[in-house]
Amino acid sequence: MSPVVSDTPAARAERLAVARAAYADVPLYDPKRAPVDLDLTDNTNLWGVPPTAERVLREVPVPVITRYPSLYAADLKAELAAWLGVTPDMLVTGAGSDDVLDSAMRAFGDPGDGVAASVPTFAMVPIFARMNGLAYTGVNETEAHALDVEGLLTSGARILYVCTPNNPTGCVTPLATLRALATRHPGVLIIDEAYAEFAGVSAVSLVREFERVLVVRTMSKAFGLAGLRIGYAIGQPALVTEVEKSRGPYKLTSLAERMAVAAVRDDRAWVEEHVALAVSLRERLADALRARGFVPLPSGANFVCVPVPQCVAVGQAMRARGVAVRPFPDLPHIGDALRFSVGPWPLLERCLAAFDAAVAEVLPDRVTPTAAGGAA
Ligand SMILES: *Cc1c(COP(=O)(O)O)cnc(C)c1O
């Protein structure tokens, strides 16, 4: 008998023993995104790229690519500042808001410090915490999908992370709750507003009141530029300077910065129009799910989260029919749930047809309240 040598990536890494200890059990991010006909898993803009940004893509002079990009994306900061009504020194950009969040954790936490967040929330947060040697604490949300403010505050974490509208639930945290957290938390409060455009409310005003509030946003969702990797954050100058140091220079490519500048300057009407469309189709999708006897959570984002038993099996049965949605098994107070990204109605109709067939297959005994579109 030969000795059994474990050949998992973690076991191999352990034998190699060159990486920092905090990385030992950090997995590679794998949201199981195998190619599928209709992908409604990542909440990107299914209407495409805004028109002015697309024109820049076609017309950018090739020599732009041979030189380094700007150090800290000054042109984009100027454009964002004019739009958001802040000054450019209150902005920091990054290669996606993922990069901004990662840089912020590195900037504001010494190894061993804590990061606390409500559960469920954005899946990357515990990963970024661990990658930066920080201890992550998840604090279950309340039954009403609100933040457990006392639980977050008593966690003792140096960094608090709040996502609003929250991914994956879609629920919005009221500004008064965020203000209460910012008032009472002695450390940094990071507010992730990846979906703020769809909620029509923003916490950007809080950065004027509080020196330790960082509002993080992205051009990957409403602005339709996920493939370019453009994120940014707003905070007081002293705070964003620390994130800028941690992020380092040259993070945005020349092409990304040019397209982002064009989009913020000239495509806002396109963005607003498609945000309004996404919001109305989100409600139509929620109605369609309710008509089938499901109870979607209230969403302020461009997706709908709906409790569905055996969500992994239902998701797989949908995938077998060419449609991917994201399953979230065993969420606190929610149980199993599916998250559907919102896009043009014909796509959502296809998605609902796959959902009906999957529910009929996986949950054959489920009682549906109406015949129309049901699992019969
Ligand atoms: C999509 C998403 C992001 C990441 O956006 P990028 O800018 O593409 O890195 C950040 N936070 C939340 C909550 C998201 O859903």
Side-chain angles (χ1 to χ4, degrees), residues 11 24 27 42 53 127 131 139 143 167 176 181 192 204 211 219 234 255 296 374:
D42 65 7
I127 298 174
M131 277 166 59
V139 178
E143 222 157 310
N167 179 1
L181 264 185
D192 187 338
V204 168
E211 291 173 336
M219 299 192 69
I234 308 111
L255 183 60

Side-chain angles (χ1 to χ4, degrees), residues 42-44 94-101 121-125 128 161 163-168 192-195 216-221 225-227 229-232 303 339:
D42 65 7
N43 311 329
T44 48
S97 56
D98 278 5
D99 183 37
V100 177
L101 291 168
T121 199
F122 187 38
M124 294 303 293
V125 170
F128 291 142
Y161 168 92
C163 183
T164 179
N166 188 29
N167 179 1
D192 187 338
E193 289 197 336
Y195 302 97
V216 180
R217 301 180 70 173
T218 180
M219 299 192 69
S220 295
K221 307 285 162 53
L225 300 175
R229 314 304 300 125
I230 305 156
Y232 58 96
F303 55 81
R339 190 190 67 195

